[in-house]
Amino acid sequence: MTDEPLPEPRALELTTERLVLRSPHEAMAPLLASYLEYNRTHFAVSSAYFETPVTLEWCRAALIADARAFEAQSAVRLYFFEKGASAGPIVGNLAFTNIVRGVFQACHLGYRIDQRYEGKGLMHEALVEALRYAFEVLELHRVMANYRPTNERSGRLLKRLGFLVEGYARDYLFLDGAWRDHILTSLVAPGVVTPPHA
Ligand SMILES: CC(C)(COP(=O)(O)OP(=O)(O)OC[C@H]1O[C@@H](n2cnc3c(N)ncnc32)[C@H](O)[C@@H]1OP(=O)(O)O)[C@@H](O)C(=O)NCCC(=O)NCCS
């Protein structure tokens, strides 16, 4: 036994013109609580349930789970901040989840931005860099993103990023109290990704 502190979990930081995208850390819990609480109604149409009211304990547990998933590379969640404002607030977040390797090399993508920062091109900016990371560093072949037909902002964003519509799923996710139809889209890596052990 030594008294040496445990190593900090691996951290990731990506930068864009206006933003810094960071991997989760439990120290972000107070910022996450304010972000989720302030945007409760804004996020409700597209997000899974989060606790009412959002407590610090709940946020800390969520961030620790996110950090473990990042270590295991089963999901990569990034929280973003304005450049020069690393103490907060959280501007938005995105997540590559359900990362499957082998012959699929694919994942799902989710994202949301604080309503005060909507309509400035910030989510597009964050996603351009995050998708570069997903294809070049995570070596994924396909990123799938799905949105409700009423979520026109999300549809425009995905189209601008080059996502193609692949289908329509009835009663796809249980959101905001009911099963909701979704438009299914995906973006394939610009280069050829060869799965490991292929
Ligand atoms: C979906 C969501 C992330 C889109 O956010 P957004 O800010 O509209 O996305 P973008 O970063 O692409 O910004 C584009 C808008 O900024 C405007 N804009 C302003 N300055 C800009 C700039 N410098 N560069 C690019 N666009 C700019 C664009 O004109 C565009 O507005 P428009 O759609 O009215 O034409 C956001 O609405 C959201 O978080 N919604 C709630 C959660 C949600 O629905 N998540 C998705 C689930 S599928």
Side-chain angles (χ1 to χ4, degrees), residues 18 35 42-47 93 109-115 117-127 145-148 151-158 160-161 182:
R18 292 176 286 177
Y35 169 70
H42 180 52
F43 291 160
V45 291
S46 65
S47 290
N93 72 294
L109 167 66
Y111 45 81
R112 56 194 175 195
I113 194 159
D114 183 308
Q115 55 195 306
Y117 293 89
E118 215 178 21
K120 298 176 193 289
L122 287 168
M123 183 55 77
H124 182 266
E125 189 174 313
L127 282 172
N146 308 321
Y147 65 97
R148 288 172 67 176
N151 197 345
E152 291 172 9
R153 269 187 178 276
S154 195
R156 284 200 296 273
L157 167 63
L158 290 171
R160 270 200 304 276
L161 288 163
H182 275 67

Side-chain angles (χ1 to χ4, degrees), residues 85-103:
S86 56
I90 290 174
V91 168
N93 72 294
L94 62 89
F96 297 111
T97 55
N98 307 323
I99 296 175
V100 177
R101 296 291 178 182
V103 293

Side-chain angles (χ1 to χ4, degrees), residues 40-54:
R40 179 176 289 283
T41 312
H42 180 52
F43 291 160
V45 291
S46 65
S47 290
Y49 167 85
F50 48 87
E51 194 173 78
T52 320
V54 185

Side-chain angles (χ1 to χ4, degrees), residues 6-152:
L6 289 170
E8 277 286 301
R10 217 149 37 104
L12 171 68
E13 196 169 282
L14 302 174
T15 54
T16 69
E17 193 187 332
R18 292 176 286 177
L19 299 169
V20 180
L21 284 56
R22 293 210 169 88
S23 52
H25 190 286
E26 61 178 302
M28 293 174 185
L31 297 176
L32 181 59
S34 325
Y35 169 70
L36 293 179
E37 200 55 59
Y38 184 82
N39 290 287
R40 179 176 289 283
T41 312
H42 180 52
F43 291 160
V45 291
S46 65
S47 290
Y49 167 85
F50 48 87
E51 194 173 78
T52 320
V54 185
T55 62
L56 273 184
E57 288 65 33
W58 189 87
C59 288
R60 201 168 287 121
L63 288 162
I64 290 170
D66 287 359
R68 288 200 181 124
F70 180 67
E71 282 290 322
Q73 296 280 282
S74 57
V76 173
R77 290 190 170 77
L78 297 171
Y79 293 86
F80 34 104
F81 300 81
E82 279 183 287
K83 253 189 188 161
S86 56
I90 290 174
V91 168
N93 72 294
L94 62 89
F96 297 111
T97 55
N98 307 323
I99 296 175
V100 177
R101 296 291 178 182
V103 293
F104 200 28
Q105 293 292 118
C107 73
H108 283 106
L109 167 66
Y111 45 81
R112 56 194 175 195
I113 194 159
D114 183 308
Q115 55 195 306
R116 291 164 290 192
Y117 293 89
E118 215 178 21
K120 298 176 193 289
L122 287 168
M123 183 55 77
H124 182 266
E125 189 174 313
L127 282 172
V128 166
E129 176 58 13
L131 286 163
R132 183 202 60 75
Y133 175 82
F135 292 133
E136 287 180 13
V137 182
L138 297 177
E139 297 184 305
L140 293 170
H141 165 67
R142 176 184 297 270
V143 174
M144 299 171 286
N146 308 321
Y147 65 97
R148 288 172 67 176
T150 47
N151 197 345
E152 291 172 9

